Amino acid sequence: MTHSCHIDFTQPLTAGATRLRHRFEAPREVLVAHALHEVSSVLDAVFAAAQQGRWCVGHVRYEAASAFDAALQTHAADGPLVWFAVYDAPQPGTDDAADAAAAATPAQVVWDDSPEREAFDAALAQIQQAIAAGELYQVNYTAPFRGTLQGSPQALFAALLRAQPGGYAAYLQAGDEQVLSVSPELFFDWLDAPEGGTLLARPMKGTAPRGATPEQDAQQAEHLRTAPKERAENVMIVDLLRNDMSRIALPHSVQVPALFATQALPTVWQMTSDVTARTRPGTTLTEVFAALFPCGSVTGAPKVRAMQMIRALEPAPRGVYCGAVGVVRPGGAAGPDGLHPVAATFNVPIRTVVLRGVGTGAGSGADASPVVAEATCGIGSGITSGAEAGAEWAEWHHKRAFVERASAPFEVLETLGLHHGKFVHADQHVRRMGEAAAHFGFAFNAHAVRQELQIAALQHRDGDWRVRLLLAADGSARAEAFALQTTAVPVRLQLAPRPFAAAHSEFVRYKTTRRAHYAAFAPTTPGVFDTVLWNEAGEITEGTFGNIAALIDGRWVTPPLSCGLLPGVGRAVALQDGHVVEAVLRVADIPRVQGWAFINSLRGWLDATLDA
């Protein structure tokens, strides 16, 4: 069994917060604790190995908590409580080539629909009853959702890194499991020293979705910073961490230098706070874990009662999720005794996928189907007295978006009109493609993209063409041309029979080849050109492949981006030219509409009718 590992961690205690990015192969040994009584001795061995100049990469399961305090109740573990591979040193150089190969290899995960909303609501009700009874202040309630991977685990990790860049990412080939963690949350960063160590914890508590526009995004961040519920949730955990850190801190050294900071992640805003301390001379890694583990942000407060409730409500062990994943390494030159100071950085493994049963599918050799594995990913949130089931359920879906983005390959897409060798609005399309590439973490070279368009134009000098411009994750672009048929006007539109649940998805705000959510609403009635979509608030948004305008109260209006729609190039041109203005248009307003239009860059403005 190979034990390859990869870490890509921020180093918050290092000047400039430089990244710790290394790969590891062929460990000299693997240290494993299967029983609670083995946990401390394995962590002691990890600490000793780092003092001797070695690098240790691994994880501590959430269920190891009882090894430090029997009052911290958990389910029985479903795997090793502690697992660390010990290496003499990282591999020289970087693994950019391996990353590029993995990124180019497809990987797909099909997830189930768990958990069920009814069970979720019931659990929240029990938690809030306990809070009302004065038993506790907060519980971090979580649930796993499960799926099946087809493709390379390394390719899935590369996709997860694009979906959740920065932070504290680790890939562990840990025995029978592969741990793919792209957590944005720091558990602790610790640098030991003879005169006392430096310890930083950065709990993450408080979440808001990203906005559809820069203005809405800023409003979401400000709401997160100022909302009493979010601030209360955060400060509860900060107080818990202050108390935990005081157990190993020099007197009066525990400080909170940053409180209620907001961090922009691709799919959500998160609130973090910093808690620092000076650890007592002679503190060991085991003592740091005994004081802090598990992180209060994934338990609740008080920790003992919150963990009792978690065990009662959650039917299965959490595993690596909500435990700790990290690296323990030499933190400087060896002293006179030949021992190095120790540096340790651990994340809280949220945004983490664990794979089991990795193997090939049917067939063998060249005929074998792609690697398949069971995948598990946990999602959770902190429940306080002010929590509302609907809002918490929505937060779970916002947090789940990172893994859904990574679970199937896709390309960024632009559709352009090419008329007798000349593109329509090419600059706007290339600019929008660049914005989408930046959002999804795709490589992007505007010059190379324009070259692809130029080649397509030279090859199709005559006639009218629909050109699909596609951008892959590695930055490679290609253009595909198809003959464009004339569209007879007015075109017929139909109203969607149900709300468009994906209206506020990033796969609506940015145009990609992932379009199943649109395809589900594509018209099937002969003669109908497109479907008018509307969101769960009853606001009209767009069509399945273009924007919508309506003549109402004597003016042409098009829905604002805040309703949940693609910022179409044709729409932008119509707004700039003053043909339309932005205004919310509701399904209830339809009887007052005097005229309809379909707008996109490819076909321009098409007069339309809406079927009653």
Side-chain angles (χ1 to χ4, degrees):
M1 174 68 68
T2 60
H3 298 292
S4 61
C5 297
H6 173 114
I7 58 170
D8 189 356
F9 276 22
T10 297
Q11 297 183 88
L13 288 178
T14 303
T18 57
R19 298 201 67 77
L20 190 68
R21 189 169 187 264
H22 295 295
R23 62 188 176 95
F24 302 87
E25 300 286 348
R28 62 183 294 126
E29 63 179 324
V30 176
L31 303 172
V32 184
H34 292 284
L36 290 172
H37 71 271
E38 299 171 333
V39 168
S40 293
S41 60
V42 168
L43 290 176
D44 287 343
V46 167
F47 185 68
Q51 286 182 311
Q52 294 161 13
R54 301 191 175 98
W55 291 63
C56 307
V57 184
H59 66 74
V60 181
R61 255 177 169 76
Y62 174 84
E63 289 73 32
S66 300
F68 308 116
D69 185 344
L72 301 177
Q73 297 182 11
T74 71
H75 291 286
D78 59 353
L81 294 166
V82 182
W83 184 97
F84 277 89
V86 181
Y87 302 91
D88 288 326
Q91 291 292 304
T94 66
D95 50 356
D96 290 336
D99 288 348
T105 306
Q108 183 164 346
V109 185
V110 178
W111 297 98
D112 63 20
D113 292 328
S114 63
E116 295 181 355
R117 178 64 191 270
E118 184 177 349
F120 178 88
D121 287 357
L124 260 66
Q126 291 186 54
I127 292 170
Q128 292 190 317
Q129 286 173 6
I131 293 173
E135 298 177 26
L136 34 66
Y137 304 108
Q138 180 185 152
V139 175
N140 192 74
Y141 176 58
T142 78
F145 63 107
R146 307 181 191 280
T148 302
L149 165 72
Q150 288 196 350
S152 160
Q154 291 86 354
L156 177 59
F157 183 59
L160 289 167
L161 282 172
R162 290 193 300 273
Q164 186 75 72
Y168 306 88
Y171 177 94
L172 309 181
Q173 176 70 46
D176 296 330
E177 296 177 321
Q178 288 75 36
V179 178
L180 287 59
S181 182
V182 290
S183 175
E185 183 172 5
L186 174 68
F187 179 19
F188 67 83
D189 196 25
W190 178 50
L191 179 60
D192 190 24
E195 68 279 7
T198 303
L199 179 64
L200 165 68
R202 185 170 287 157
M204 182 173 284
K205 216 67 197 163
T207 306
R210 298 299 302 270
T213 66
E215 295 77 16
Q216 190 181 60
D217 202 37
Q219 290 171 3
Q220 294 282 22
E222 182 63 19
H223 173 75
L224 179 61
R225 272 192 296 269
T226 59
K229 172 189 174 296
E230 305 293 350
R231 292 168 71 93
E233 183 179 346
N234 189 278
V235 79
M236 287 179 197
I237 302 308
V238 167
D239 286 345
L240 188 155
L241 264 291
R242 290 173 60 197
N243 182 67
D244 285 352
M245 290 173 71
S246 68
R247 297 164 63 184
I248 51 173
L250 290 168
H252 313 296
S253 71
V254 179
Q255 303 291 329
V256 183
L259 190 63
F260 307 141
T262 51
Q263 180 179 350
L265 302 177
T267 58
V268 293
W269 283 99
Q270 298 271 196
M271 181 184 288
T272 65
S273 295
D274 286 3
V275 187
T276 62
R278 298 283 296 173
T279 54
R280 294 191 295 266
T283 300
T284 67
L285 181 67
T286 298
E287 290 171 332
V288 175
F289 268 90
L292 303 182
F293 191 82
C295 182
S297 64
V298 293
T299 62
K303 184 182 287 188
V304 170
R305 181 66 184 102
M307 290 184 66
Q308 290 173 352
M309 195 150 202
I310 288 168
R311 187 183 186 280
L313 292 174
E314 298 181 15
R318 290 180 172 183
V320 177
Y321 172 62
C322 293
V325 171
V327 56
V328 186
R329 63 200 186 278
D337 57 0
L339 299 179
H340 296 261
V342 172
T345 309
F346 283 85
N347 73 17
V348 180
I350 57 174
R351 316 293 198 274
T352 297
V353 176
V354 176
L355 305 176
R356 281 186 167 180
V358 171
T360 57
S364 61
D367 297 326
S369 58
V371 168
V372 295
E374 299 174 359
T376 304
C377 181
I379 299 292
S381 62
I383 309 304
T384 61
S385 60
E388 297 177 355
E392 296 298 328
W393 183 254
E395 180 177 319
W396 280 30
H397 280 270
H398 295 316
K399 289 179 175 178
R400 177 172 165 161
F402 90 98
V403 75
E404 291 175 338
R405 181 199 290 190
S407 293
F410 65 91
E411 295 174 292
V412 174
L413 169 66
E414 291 291 325
T415 305
L416 297 83
L418 176 63
H419 303 290
H420 301 288
K422 294 186 180 298
F423 280 105
V424 179
H425 309 310
D427 289 344
Q428 292 95 320
H429 282 284
V430 172
R431 187 182 309 116
R432 191 174 69 170
M433 175 170 273
E435 292 169 353
H439 175 79
F440 289 116
F442 283 26
F444 179 72
N445 183 314
H447 177 70
V449 168
R450 292 181 185 278
Q451 282 187 318
E452 289 298 315
L453 290 178
Q454 185 177 9
I455 292 170
L458 290 173
Q459 292 174 343
H460 302 86
R461 295 175 182 271
D462 299 318
D464 296 329
W465 300 87
R466 174 173 62 90
V467 176
R468 284 166 49 91
L469 178 64
L470 296 141
L471 180 76
D474 63 0
S476 58
R478 71 185 192 280
E480 305 170 342
F482 306 87
L484 178 63
Q485 304 300 320
T486 302
T487 304
V489 293
V491 296
R492 283 177 60 197
L493 305 175
Q494 67 178 18
L495 186 67
R498 61 188 182 278
F500 185 47
H504 296 287
S505 161
E506 61 185 343
F507 289 101
V508 166
R509 295 197 305 274
Y510 300 94
K511 191 171 183 178
T512 74
T513 55
R514 189 176 293 183
R515 297 184 60 80
H517 48 295
Y518 285 119
F521 286 86
T524 57
T525 303
V528 174
F529 183 72
D530 200 5
T531 303
V532 176
L533 306 173
W534 47 283
N535 63 27
E536 292 176 332
E539 300 164 337
I540 289 174
T541 60
E542 59 182 337
T544 68
F545 61 95
N547 292 115
I548 298 296
L551 179 62
I552 185 170
D553 298 332
R555 61 175 185 166
W556 282 98
V557 303
T558 191
L561 299 182
S562 58
C563 293
L565 53 126
L566 178 75
V569 170
R571 172 185 178 276
V573 171
L575 284 166
Q576 183 177 358
D577 292 345
H579 292 163
V580 297
V581 295
E582 288 186 335
V584 173
L585 181 67
R586 302 181 186 280
V587 173
D589 297 326
I590 289 177
R592 296 168 44 226
V593 173
Q594 300 161 301
W596 293 92
F598 172 93
I599 320 169
N600 70 8
S601 175
L602 180 65
R603 290 180 170 83
W605 178 288
L606 300 178
D607 290 333
T609 61
L610 179 67
D611 288 356

